[in-house]
Amino acid sequence: MTTTPHTPVRPAEEIAVGRAGHRGVLFAMCLALVLVVASVSALNLAMPTLAVDLSASNASLTWIADAYTVALAALVLPLGAIGDRLGRRHVLVAGTLVFGGAALAASLADTTGHLIVWRVVMGIGAAMIMPGTLSTITAAFPAHQRAKGVAVWSGFAAAGAIIGMLAAGALLEQFSWRSIFVASAVTALAAGAVALALAPNTKDPHPHRPDVIGAICTATAIGCLVFAIIEGNEQGWSEPPVIAALVVTALGFAAYAFFGLRNDQPLLDPHLFGVRGFRAGAVTVLVQFMAVFGFFFVGLQYLQLILDYSPLKAAVALVPVAVVVLPTSRITPRLVTRIGMKAVMVTGLTLLGGGLFAIFRIHADSGYLPFLGGLVLCGLGIGLTGAVGTAAITGSLGRGQQGVASAMNDTTREVGSAIGIALMGSVYGNHYRNALPPTIDRLPPQAAQSVRDSAAAGLQVAHQAGPQGPALTQAVKDAFMSGLSASLVVVTVIVLAAALGCLLRAPRQAPNSD
């Protein structure tokens, strides 16, 4: 799609928003947003149970978590463009139906393969929902209120993960992991109904022809990249399927750039990455979500397996992140006005990296308080980076192209989430297996394989191992901490490298689309 900032469009002040006004629009879009984001994180609380109930290995657990996110990341940009053409509310509501039906089917899954497939379909529905949330806000809100609307949206985009985990934790106290999917289906129907009642059906007034080649190239590249990360750590980086996936990833992104530069109406103009504000915003959002959702995937297992928290208690233990993120997101626009976009970006990424490093330093017997200190630093960083990164992306494009801006913002978030889960999950799994002592081989073959598959299964074996149980429990916990520490080191280095990049290359002030 063309990205000229001068495309004529009806002013946001003239868009009918109904009796509920802009607050009603904001409520409807944030509810749909929370549905999508919560489904990325909610299932993480059930990972120990899934490992036992479905005999899932660490790699299978990573795919169960990431299948949804990969589909969402791969399709959010082309489906956002379809929403620009057909009407964002129409596509959003249709997405809630796809999402809800797939969630119900997932609740009936009895193998890891079936669960992964239905998670993919849920991701397709989520990709229909998510682009319309931000683009409806930016199109319907007048210029003087848009920054506040975007800041609230950014806060719920981050806090939605915690909301999803709290709901999942409460359900798991009384019901099985299947209840999470049933609740997701009910919420999807409610979100669709609220959107119909409160949100306007905004669209691009001058839609352009679909960029099929661009959509295929980006979806293929994103899917193959995540496959390579997960299977590279599982099978080995020299294995032919992994090498092939890396080659296809490179070719996919290269083809996207080649055809996009020669297309006068690309899905996303590659020239945009030459705009410093747009590029800095995209990198900031991608790295933030990579760190956050990768950490949630392994961090929740720390709370449940090492600190022996129940699912609900583990979710509550992460609430301080949301408590810090929401108010920080609200004040971020004022901070950007006062000290500049670059300073806020660099500060946010540095705080996020510092929080992850603080958590890296904990041990199996450290308890919750050191973990909490790292969470607070992470929350401050998330609140700053999410709001300023989103504002940089949306501010780089004109109002008539806010569907593209929203879809690009969503794509960076979901690509970051998918890469983060794949990267931290696979690094953790690889180091966990390698850190197990040779004495594991003395166990019966099936028990030894269960220990290697996952820490949750390993602890279950230890509980049934009689006199060998305490030593095996300690070995599994030590191996888990080795995997957790290794994954945190990797992501901390990436976050701090992004902070340095923003310091050197990001513009001082935020772009303005008006």
Side-chain angles (χ1 to χ4, degrees), residues 176-349:
S176 76
W177 57 267
R178 300 177 191 277
S179 63
I180 297 174
F181 292 105
V182 175
S184 295
V186 173
T187 306
L189 295 179
V194 171
L196 281 173
L198 301 181
N201 186 39
T202 64
K203 63 175 67 176
D204 188 336
H206 300 281
H208 301 284
R209 65 179 181 271
D211 179 13
V212 177
I213 293 177
I216 293 174
C217 289
T218 53
T220 301
I222 292 169
C224 287
L225 175 60
V226 172
F227 175 88
I229 293 172
I230 295 175
E231 297 302 324
N233 278 282
E234 181 71 15
Q235 300 181 24
W237 292 98
S238 61
E239 291 298 310
V242 176
I243 294 174
L246 290 172
V247 171
V248 173
T249 298
L251 292 175
F253 283 125
Y256 152 74
F258 178 83
F259 290 109
L261 291 171
R262 289 158 178 78
N263 187 345
D264 59 350
Q265 297 174 0
L267 183 66
L268 179 71
D269 191 348
H271 289 103
L272 279 175
F273 291 98
V275 179
R276 293 174 65 197
F278 184 91
R279 183 174 64 242
V283 169
T284 299
V285 171
L286 185 146
V287 169
Q288 177 214 325
F289 273 72
M290 178 200 69
V292 170
F293 283 94
F295 168 70
F296 284 163
F297 179 68
V298 295
L300 279 168
Q301 295 184 65
Y302 166 78
L303 293 171
Q304 292 179 270
L305 300 179
I306 305 302
L307 298 188
D308 200 27
Y309 284 7
S310 69
L312 181 58
K313 188 175 180 180
V316 170
L318 293 180
V319 166
V321 174
V323 171
V324 174
V325 165
L326 287 173
T328 304
S329 298
R330 294 292 298 271
I331 67 171
T332 296
R334 292 200 294 270
L335 290 175
V336 171
T337 301
R338 181 168 298 181
I339 66 175
M341 183 181 77
K342 176 190 286 191
V344 175
M345 278 185 175
V346 173
T347 302
L349 288 170

Side-chain angles (χ1 to χ4, degrees), residues 374-449:
L375 285 184
V376 172
L377 287 177
C378 287
L380 291 170
I382 293 166
L384 293 175
T385 54
V388 73
T390 297
I393 292 172
T394 58
S396 298
L397 299 182
R399 191 184 299 163
Q401 298 302 318
Q402 285 305 301
V404 175
S406 171
M408 180 59 197
N409 181 70
D410 296 340
T411 299
T412 55
R413 288 171 181 267
E414 302 314 322
V415 169
S417 300
I419 292 175
I421 293 170
L423 182 63
M424 292 193 71
S426 56
V427 170
Y428 151 72
N430 185 48
H431 280 76
Y432 166 79
R433 287 193 306 273
N434 291 338
L436 289 169
T439 53
I440 298 300
D441 294 332
R442 300 175 188 170
L443 295 171
Q446 186 174 359
Q449 186 58 48

Side-chain angles (χ1 to χ4, degrees), residues 19-34:
R19 293 182 179 180
H22 294 106
R23 289 187 177 181
V25 175
L26 191 61
F27 172 76
M29 295 301 99
C30 286
L31 177 60
L33 171 68
V34 168

